[in-house]
């Protein structure tokens, strides 16, 4: 039985099928070459060159749509000079003309006509041509872009065989783009997952809360490709406070409170994410700290219906907006960070409860045991004083009784301080004493302290808040790393800063092991960052050990 010959396309002119068959080996060679490419842009460039070669076109271009389909993520061309390529490398405004038809209705488009621009509805800055062929780049039911060819060398229009060849190449381009995007999406998800793990580890490690929040900001900035990462937490008087900032340049926004009437606060506290393409044109951001940026992603940190704060990731002005995938990954990251914050808060509550229980136990022991014994000892000494016959002995015993009375009063004051709630509002002096008292439990001794100048009246709220955080950090370092047996705390509100301004200086000296070479210094970096955020500075010096060992931290800032 003789083989049945395959019929050619009935609408093609005579002799065209032989021409088509002659081009098939070149197509197969090109497909093999394209399929072996690993770098997406070079692969697309080879597809453009092959399409122009197989169809005899003077120019070929491939526009790759971005993820949202609203603009071009890439524009690859062959046969175009750079100036023309720059003008052509955008979607036609208003979706007009042949190129606009390709965008709105992704089906092949052909046009023939007299020399000049054959597309009166299209952009006028494209090169004039007599013939045009446009094919959508599709794969797996998704349109990834468009492949354009113009101007055959033979001055003939593109025929059906040209269209068939270009469609094959467009399909190959679609597969290449789709595979590249799947690979990039997988890598992107892996990076965000790794970032979430790093944030969770930092928050649950039991270290300083400021360090953990800084890790959240830095991971958010790195993963989103933003110009900054900002963590916002609810402020005491309403609004949101900037609790952590990750940026390549020095910033003074740490600790700044965004008032409740600001549009950012209203959006985030409502639990709704906010995505802005340009901060300069959005009225909700008119008075906010991100006005100078471009696209912004603002995500609430929510857990169990409660808003814990917000995460802000702004990009520089003029950069591309965040894609749907980036928004989804950012939202998942914010949810994971909120969960880690909740767990860390619960962990700190348990630790705080343990400290309060220790304080209550110490207060009871002091009252029930120590004071009672001192009181009984005082009564025995008083009785001995009355029976003493020698005046010197009587006077010495009387002095000892007076000292016991003073000691009992001091212990009662200490009991009263231990029983005071840590949340009670107080001035800076009281807050410093509270931090010292809290640190005495893990340290095993109470650091000495000294105040100079109008500490409560001269130091502003923002500087005072950062000073307390710096004191907490230094006392924690002395306990965890320095193994100190003696600590001296000084708060001087009459200090003169190096630039001549008046301010407050916190000095914490210990007799510990000092700061080892190559040791972890995140706490010291955090001290310096807090000082710089309010216009101050932080530096290290030798401690108070007899041999000059130990560490002295001097933290200072203007009022």
């Amino acid at each position: 039985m003789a083989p049945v010959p395959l019929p050619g396309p009935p609408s093609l002119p005579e002799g065209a099928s032989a021409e088509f068959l002659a081009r098939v080996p070149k197509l197969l060679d090109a497909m093999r070459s394209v399929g072996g490419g690993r770098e997406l842009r070079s692969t697309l460039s080879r597809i453009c060159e092959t399409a122009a070669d197989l169809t005899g076109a003077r120019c070929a271009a491939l526009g790759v749509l971005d993820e949202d389909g609203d603009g071009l993520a890439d524009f690859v061309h062959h046969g175009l000079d750079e100036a023309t390529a720059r003008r052509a490398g955008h979607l036609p405004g208003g979706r007009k003309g042949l190129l606009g038809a390709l965008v709105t209705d992704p089906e092949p488009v052909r046009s023939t006509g007299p020399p000049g621009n054959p597309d009166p509805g299209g952009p006028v800055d494209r090169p004039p041509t007599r013939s045009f062929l446009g094919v959508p780049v599709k794969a797996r039911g998704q349109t990834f872009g468009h492949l354009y060819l113009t101007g055959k060398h033979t001055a003939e229009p593109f025929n059906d065989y040209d269209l068939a060849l270009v469609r094959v190449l467009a399909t190959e381009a679609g597969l290449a783009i789709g595979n590249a995007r799947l690979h990039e999406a997988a890598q992107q998800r892996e990076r965000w997952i790794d970032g979430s793990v790093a944030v969770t580890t930092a928050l649950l490690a039991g270290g300083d809360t400021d360090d953990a929040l800084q890790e959240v900001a830095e991971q958010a900035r790195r993963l989103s490709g933003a110009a900054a990462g900002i963590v916002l937490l609810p402020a005491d008087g309403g609004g949101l406070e900037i609790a952590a900032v990750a940026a390549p340049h020095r910033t003074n926004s740490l600790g700044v409170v965004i008032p409740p009437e600001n549009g950012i606060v209203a959006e985030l506290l409502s639990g709704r994410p906010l995505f802005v393409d340009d901060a300069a044109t959005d009225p909700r951001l008119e008075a906010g700290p991100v006005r100078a940026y471009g696209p912004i992603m603002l995500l609430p940190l929510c857990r169990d219906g409660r808003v814990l704060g917000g995460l802000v990731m702004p990009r520089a002005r003029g950069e591309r907006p965040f894609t749907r995938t980036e928004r989804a990954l950012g939202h998942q990251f914010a949810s994971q960070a909120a969960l880690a914050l909740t767990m860390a808060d619960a962990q700190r509550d348990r630790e705080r409860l343990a400290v309060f229980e220790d304080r209550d136990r110490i207060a009871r022991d002091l009252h029930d045991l120590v004071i009672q014994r001192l009181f009984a000892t005082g009564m025995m000494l008083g009785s001995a004083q009355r029976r003493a016959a020698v005046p010197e002995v009587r006077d010495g015993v009387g002095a000892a009784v007076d000292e016991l009375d003073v000691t009992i009063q001091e212990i009662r004051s200490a009991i009263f301080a231990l029983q005071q709630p840590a949340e009670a509002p107080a001035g800076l002096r009281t807050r410093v004493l509270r931090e010292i008292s809290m640190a005495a439990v893990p340290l095993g001794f109470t650091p000495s302290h000294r105040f100079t100048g109008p500490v409560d009246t001269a130091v502003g709220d923002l500087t005072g808040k950062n000073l307390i955080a710096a004191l907490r950090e230094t006392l924690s370092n002395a306990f965890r790393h320095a193994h100190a047996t003696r600590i001296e705390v000084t708060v001087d509100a009459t200090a003169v800063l190096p630039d001549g301004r008046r301010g407050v200086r916190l000095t914490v000296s210990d007799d510990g092991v000092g700061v080892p070479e190559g040791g972890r210094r995140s706490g010291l970096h955090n001290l310096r960052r807090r000082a710089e955020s309010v216009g101050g500075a932080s530096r290290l010096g030798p401690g108070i050990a007899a041999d000059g060992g130990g560490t002295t931290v001097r933290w200072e800032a203007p009022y």
Side-chain angles (χ1 to χ4, degrees):
M1 182 175 179
V4 179
L6 294 174
S11 60
L12 295 179
E14 183 179 357
S17 59
E19 174 195 347
F20 177 76
L21 293 176
R23 287 188 282 176
V24 168
K26 296 176 63 177
L27 174 64
L28 295 177
D29 289 340
M31 293 283 289
R32 184 165 54 250
S33 171
V34 167
R38 294 188 177 182
E39 201 274 323
L40 178 61
R41 205 171 198 282
S42 62
T43 298
L44 299 182
S45 181
R46 284 198 299 273
I47 287 175
C48 286
E49 184 178 355
T50 301
D53 183 45
L54 291 176
T55 60
R58 289 189 177 90
C59 303
L62 199 158
V64 181
L65 293 174
D66 59 25
E67 184 179 326
D68 296 331
D70 296 329
L72 290 182
D74 200 359
F75 186 76
V76 184
H77 55 88
H78 172 76
L80 291 175
D81 59 84
E82 289 301 325
T84 304
R86 281 195 299 270
R87 293 196 306 270
H90 58 82
L91 287 179
R95 300 294 194 263
K96 296 180 179 179
L98 291 174
L99 302 186
L102 266 175
V103 176
T104 56
D105 184 19
E107 294 296 332
V109 174
R110 276 187 292 177
S111 174
T112 60
N117 189 353
D119 183 11
V124 298
D125 55 1
R126 283 174 171 78
T129 179
R130 188 176 185 276
S131 56
F132 172 86
L133 174 61
V135 177
V137 174
K138 292 183 177 181
R140 306 182 185 97
Q142 182 179 357
T143 301
F144 292 103
H146 309 93
L147 180 58
Y148 313 106
L149 295 103
T150 59
K152 293 191 71 168
H153 290 288
T154 59
E156 297 176 355
F158 292 102
N159 57 38
D160 289 344
Y161 287 128
D162 294 326
L163 175 60
L165 292 169
V166 173
R167 289 182 99 163
V168 172
L169 291 171
T171 301
E172 181 69 17
L175 291 172
I177 297 171
N179 291 335
R181 288 191 175 176
L182 286 174
H183 180 66
E184 171 60 26
Q187 289 185 322
Q188 196 175 30
R189 288 189 181 90
E190 183 179 358
R191 290 194 297 269
W192 281 92
I193 291 173
D194 291 342
S196 298
V197 171
V199 165
T200 303
T201 302
L203 285 169
L204 299 181
D208 185 75
T209 304
D210 294 327
D211 286 345
L213 294 176
Q214 186 66 26
E215 179 72 17
V216 174
E218 289 174 355
Q219 290 289 347
R221 172 179 174 259
R222 180 182 67 85
L223 294 170
S224 64
I230 303 172
V231 177
L232 303 174
L233 295 181
D236 293 336
L240 293 173
E241 178 185 353
I242 299 179
V245 179
H249 51 79
R250 176 176 170 176
T251 174
N252 295 329
S253 59
L254 189 65
V256 173
V257 176
I258 305 174
E261 58 271 15
N262 189 279
I264 294 179
V265 176
E267 290 288 340
L268 290 179
L269 292 183
S270 67
R272 296 190 301 268
L274 177 63
F275 305 103
V276 176
D277 289 343
D278 188 2
T281 60
D282 195 300
R284 292 169 294 186
L285 309 177
E286 184 173 356
V290 293
R291 186 67 174 175
Y293 291 99
I296 299 178
M297 181 160 52
L298 300 98
L299 302 172
L301 298 173
C302 298
R303 186 63 186 173
D304 297 330
R306 184 166 65 99
V307 179
L308 307 176
L311 185 59
V312 184
M313 290 165 276
R315 282 178 174 162
R317 186 167 294 177
E319 290 194 8
R320 62 176 179 83
F322 292 94
T323 64
R324 288 194 302 268
T325 299
E326 290 172 329
R327 295 177 182 184
L329 291 172
H331 188 71
Q332 294 172 6
F333 176 82
S335 299
Q336 181 65 29
L339 173 60
L341 278 172
T342 303
M343 296 174 65
D345 284 342
Q347 179 174 305
R348 282 190 291 273
D349 287 342
R350 289 192 297 269
E351 295 172 352
R352 192 178 296 112
L353 179 60
V355 171
F356 289 159
E357 289 175 347
D358 274 346
R359 292 173 61 177
D360 190 56
R361 177 185 56 79
I362 293 170
R364 287 197 309 270
D365 290 345
L366 287 174
H367 182 272
D368 297 340
L369 300 175
V370 178
I371 286 185
Q372 296 300 327
R373 289 190 177 185
L374 289 176
F375 187 72
T377 303
M379 292 182 64
M380 289 188 295
L381 288 174
S383 176
Q385 180 187 20
R386 288 190 296 272
R387 293 196 301 269
V390 180
E392 290 80 359
V393 174
R394 190 165 50 248
D395 293 341
V397 173
V401 171
D402 293 340
E403 287 295 328
L404 282 178
D405 288 339
V406 173
T407 302
I408 290 173
Q409 292 300 322
E410 290 179 348
I411 293 176
R412 283 176 174 167
S413 298
I415 292 172
F416 179 76
L418 286 171
Q419 292 175 336
Q420 292 302 302
E423 291 79 10
L428 180 58
R429 183 188 301 263
T430 303
R431 284 183 287 164
V432 169
L433 292 174
R434 184 179 296 154
E435 291 297 330
I436 293 174
S437 177
M438 291 282 288
V441 175
L443 285 170
F445 64 91
T446 301
S448 64
H449 59 273
R450 187 174 76 255
F451 296 95
T452 304
V455 173
D456 285 332
T457 58
V459 182
D461 290 340
L462 182 58
T463 298
K465 184 183 300 183
N466 283 280
L467 184 145
I468 293 297
L471 174 61
R472 187 182 303 124
E473 176 75 27
T474 52
L475 291 176
S476 175
N477 288 340
F479 167 67
R480 291 187 297 166
H481 307 300
H483 309 294
T485 61
R486 187 161 61 97
I487 299 176
E488 296 178 357
V489 177
T490 301
V491 180
D492 183 4
T494 64
V496 179
L497 305 186
D499 59 3
R501 290 180 295 172
R502 300 296 296 273
V504 60
R505 178 179 295 117
L506 168 68
T507 305
V508 181
S509 301
D510 64 60
D511 62 349
V513 298
V515 180
E517 290 294 333
R520 185 172 179 267
R521 295 172 178 261
S522 60
L524 300 177
H525 293 327
N526 190 42
L527 289 173
R528 185 172 63 251
R529 186 173 63 248
R530 279 195 169 275
E532 291 175 350
S533 71
V534 290
S538 178
R539 58 187 183 276
L540 294 179
I544 56 175
D547 58 355
T551 304
T552 294
V553 176
R554 290 182 178 85
W555 189 97
E556 57 191 19
Y559 293 139

